[in-house]
Amino acid sequence: DQQVKQNSPSLSVQEGRISILNCDYTNSMFDYFLWYKKYPAEGPTFLISISSIKDKNEDGRFTVFLNKSAKHLSLHIVPSQPGDSAVYFCAASEWEYGNKLVFGAGTILRVKS
Amino acid sequence: EAQVTQNPRYLITVTGKKLTVTCSQNMNHEYMSWYRQDPGLGLRQIYYSMNVEVTDKGDVPEGYKVSRKEKRNFPLILESPSPNQTSLYFCASSFGGSAGGHETQYFGPGTRLLVL
């Protein structure tokens, strides 16, 4: 059973608008969450993370929100740009096994110009 | 340039023919890991290594072997590849080989393997 779920396989957004990517998790021991971005023919690259002691973390156009009670996190991209078109993976880990990342299936984001 | 390199990038082979995918990092990272990416399943961990000569199974280790004789290298070995090992493979590394804590993982560019 997948512990990290990204239920939307794809998302299409107009340039300049907000992109919202969602992720749900089932393991209550997860206390650190990350988003990775992947372009075709490249490896995933780290985008942004959030610890369970926070409910929001912001880095430029990217903001991650964490709702622990709902076991849900989301990545907001504002404004969306065509270069943001990529696959976005949500990942989670426990402090005890910090290097062990559990990934979601990914969401393909297409930003149309 | 700090990076994780993998070779080969693309490989077509036949069932049963042993192969090795190399992984090397130049960041002096203690932790290294192998993942496979399959449609609808995301990235799943195959094996990981906390440091030289320390390796352990991930979530999907069947049919794979690894070794960590040097800190910078972490090859993935398929002794007898089968078609269900057709996948996209990623090597990753990070600081902090000891259990506990959170470190950002850096990924290689991937190796696309097709087993006929």
Side-chain angles (χ1 to χ4, degrees):
Chain A
D1 187 33
Q2 286 193 295
Q3 299 183 71
V4 178
K5 298 180 183 179
Q6 294 176 255
N7 292 319
S8 298
S10 64
L11 175 67
S12 187
V13 172
Q14 197 68 34
E15 181 180 6
R17 306 294 290 267
I18 184 172
S19 295
I20 300 176
L21 294 91
N22 294 303
C23 178
D24 296 296
Y25 61 97
T26 58
N27 187 345
S28 58
M29 296 300 292
F30 288 148
D31 64 349
Y32 194 70
F33 305 89
L34 309 90
W35 286 93
Y36 277 82
K37 176 179 179 179
K38 183 185 176 307
Y39 292 119
E42 295 183 12
T45 55
F46 171 74
L47 185 58
I48 192 169
S49 63
I50 187 167
S51 164
S52 61
I53 62 173
K54 294 185 174 182
D55 55 17
K56 175 183 174 181
N57 189 28
E58 199 169 350
D59 184 2
R61 296 185 297 113
F62 302 91
T63 302
V64 57
F65 295 92
L66 175 62
N67 183 333
K68 283 176 288 184
S69 60
K71 294 192 178 68
H72 177 84
L73 63 154
S74 60
L75 175 68
H76 293 210
I77 307 173
V78 183
S80 301
Q81 299 174 354
D84 296 328
S85 297
V87 179
Y88 289 79
F89 289 101
C90 171
S93 66
E94 301 177 40
W95 179 261
E96 185 178 357
Y97 309 103
N99 280 302
K100 182 174 174 57
L101 296 179
V102 180
F103 283 86
T107 296
I108 300 170
L109 174 65
R110 295 187 186 90
V111 180
K112 299 175 289 186
S113 55
Chain B
E1 180 191 353
Q3 60 183 349
V4 179
T5 57
Q6 295 179 227
N7 282 293
R9 294 292 310 277
Y10 303 92
L11 181 59
I12 301 174
T13 189
V14 295
T15 298
K17 186 175 181 182
K18 181 180 178 179
L19 67 92
T20 299
V21 183
T22 65
C23 172
S24 183
Q25 51 91 7
N26 62 2
M27 295 172 278
N28 202 34
H29 285 168
E30 292 181 336
Y31 182 91
M32 297 186 75
S33 180
W34 276 102
Y35 297 86
R36 59 178 288 173
Q37 182 193 348
D38 301 291
L41 296 175
L43 283 80
R44 294 178 294 166
Q45 190 179 55
I46 303 170
Y47 267 94
Y48 64 95
S49 170
M50 296 282 211
N51 212 326
V52 175
E53 302 293 0
V54 181
T55 63
D56 208 347
K57 297 177 180 178
D59 297 317
V60 287
E62 294 77 21
Y64 304 95
K65 284 175 58 176
V66 293
S67 68
R68 187 93 182 270
K69 293 182 169 52
E70 304 167 282
K71 196 171 188 178
R72 63 183 294 130
N73 296 323
F74 190 45
L76 179 69
I77 303 156
L78 284 72
E79 294 270 3
S80 182
S82 62
N84 64 13
Q85 292 178 297
T86 291
S87 188
L88 179 57
Y89 292 87
F90 290 103
C91 180
S93 72
S94 65
F95 286 108
S98 58
H102 298 289
E103 297 286 348
T104 299
Q105 290 192 24
Y106 298 86
F107 284 79
T111 295
R112 188 166 290 280
L113 172 65
L114 172 61
V115 183
L116 301 173

